[in-house]
Amino acid sequence: MFRVGVDLGGTNIAVGVIDDNCNIIGRGKMKTNAPRHAKAIFDDVATAIRMAVADANLTLYDIASIGIGTPGSVNKSIGMIDYANNLDFNHVPAKDMLAEALGMDKIYIDNDANCAALGEAVAGAGKGKKSFVAITLGTGVGSGIVIDGKIVVGCNYAAGECGHMVINFDGEQCNCGRRGCWESYASATALIAQTKEAMKNNVDSIMWDLVEDNIGRVSGRTAFDAMRKGDATAKVVVDNYIRYVAIGLINVINALQPDVVCIGGGISHEKENLLIPLRKHVSRSRYSIYSDVQTEICCAELGNDAGIIGAALLDN
């Protein structure tokens, strides 16, 4: 059985065909060119799907189902993207549009973070585990919860937004409208802001050398790279950032006690530089400190393919 997964992003439309072992055997890609009319975007989604199917030496008749992972809030029951701000979507009937373009009816849709979590749970860091949480430290803090192979969606398909739990009352402004959300402290965007602030207050930091005195070149790697070179200011930035990540992670673990939590996104490329201190913070402060069984904390394994594989596995 072959399935198609679509990772619909603000920049790219990435498509893959997977086999029964969750191997990607064909790929297609188009630019999203958002914002523009939803029908034009989904016409290009259909084109990218055809490209991927052809790349796998198959036809659409060989495809059992198509799944789409999209930013924003989704009504899975009717295949509607209720709202996606970075695509300028508002009540877009994605399933119907794609069904019309391809002549297929087995089309499923979910939030992109949920799809990435499902992909990692089934074929990556959570393979073989009953309960699994994926956290993505990117532009925001994305998250998805998978239990017994099923995404936890809640009564309105909006469950799993761990990035918008408050960790600092009346703290940093979040783009969701609240203050003090985990995302405002633990995202890569937040780390960049924290790095820039520290640099402005410490003009002798070697972080300035790493960005050639251009603060606009600061990335999520800047503080980590400078820390490895012995820069004290960078070490403070990294230590504080990891504490912020740990605070939210402890809340997730206390609430759910999953078998595994995996960390994805660009920051996860730091591997043990991130995980070793993160595990120490979590082990000291989690509620289950005296339990013989503890949640495993690891890095994601599938990279950008997680969303494609997870979308392909959607079935309701």
Side-chain angles (χ1 to χ4, degrees):
M1 180 185 297
F2 303 102
R3 301 173 183 266
V4 167
V6 179
D7 187 359
L8 174 60
T11 303
N12 293 309
I13 302 162
V15 180
V17 179
I18 70 166
D19 61 18
D20 287 335
N21 296 314
C22 294
N23 297 310
I24 297 179
I25 61 171
R27 295 180 185 269
K29 191 172 185 179
M30 299 279 287
K31 289 292 184 183
T32 311
N33 293 323
R36 57 184 171 130
H37 195 278
K39 185 180 185 306
I41 289 178
F42 276 95
D43 282 346
D44 282 350
V45 170
T47 298
I49 289 171
R50 292 190 183 97
M51 291 168 57
V53 171
D55 188 49
N57 292 316
L58 300 171
T59 71
L60 285 174
Y61 294 106
D62 299 309
I63 303 302
S65 64
I66 296 171
I68 308 167
T70 175
S73 56
V74 175
N75 185 332
K76 292 175 57 174
S77 64
I78 58 174
M80 177 81 70
I81 302 173
D82 287 333
Y83 178 67
N85 62 303
N86 62 344
L87 294 173
D88 197 26
F89 282 179
N90 190 357
H91 290 100
V92 169
K95 176 180 178 178
D96 291 345
M97 284 182 173
L98 199 55
E100 181 178 353
L102 294 175
M104 293 185 65
D105 59 356
K106 289 189 176 180
I107 298 172
Y108 309 102
I109 186 165
D110 206 332
N111 172 266
D112 53 359
N114 284 343
C115 290
L118 182 60
E120 285 286 350
V122 174
K127 189 174 182 178
K129 304 297 185 181
K130 289 178 64 66
S131 56
F132 176 82
V133 177
I135 304 293
T136 302
L137 306 177
T139 303
V141 173
S143 54
I145 302 166
V146 179
I147 297 177
D148 291 331
K150 297 292 184 181
I151 300 167
V152 175
V153 296
C155 64
N156 55 3
Y157 308 105
E161 287 289 348
C162 299
H164 295 289
M165 60 180 158
V166 170
I167 66 167
N168 184 5
F169 175 74
D170 206 26
E172 297 286 345
Q173 180 68 55
C174 182
N175 60 15
C176 76
R178 302 176 78 198
R179 286 186 174 273
C181 288
W182 190 25
E183 178 170 298
S184 299
Y185 294 87
S187 63
T189 304
L191 174 57
I192 290 169
Q194 293 156 17
T195 303
K196 289 179 177 179
E197 184 66 22
M199 290 170 62
K200 291 174 183 176
N201 293 330
N202 297 271
V203 295
D204 295 327
S205 168
I206 66 170
M207 289 188 285
W208 286 103
D209 296 330
L210 294 180
V211 299
E212 299 178 342
D213 291 326
N214 181 355
I215 202 166
R217 297 182 61 184
V218 170
S219 72
R221 298 187 302 271
T222 302
F224 280 94
D225 288 345
M227 176 193 69
R228 281 187 282 273
K229 293 178 179 292
D231 186 77
T233 299
K235 186 176 187 308
V236 171
V237 172
V238 170
D239 287 348
N240 285 337
Y241 173 74
I242 291 175
R243 284 179 60 239
Y244 290 135
V245 175
I247 290 168
L249 198 59
I250 291 162
N251 290 343
V252 171
I253 291 171
N254 284 351
L256 299 171
Q257 299 295 339
D259 292 321
V260 176
V261 173
C262 85
I263 309 295
I267 305 300
S268 69
H269 296 158
E270 290 295 330
K271 301 292 185 180
E272 295 304 306
N273 288 320
L274 172 70
L275 291 181
I276 289 174
L278 184 59
R279 289 172 181 141
K280 287 180 179 177
H281 283 299
V282 172
S283 66
R284 286 196 299 261
S285 301
R286 57 187 163 198
Y287 184 76
S288 59
I289 188 169
Y290 297 112
S291 175
D292 291 335
V293 179
Q294 300 287 359
T295 297
E296 176 188 351
I297 302 170
C298 64
C299 284
E301 297 178 359
L302 300 179
N304 293 333
D305 288 342
I308 292 173
I309 294 170
L313 293 171
L314 296 175
D315 59 6
N316 57 44

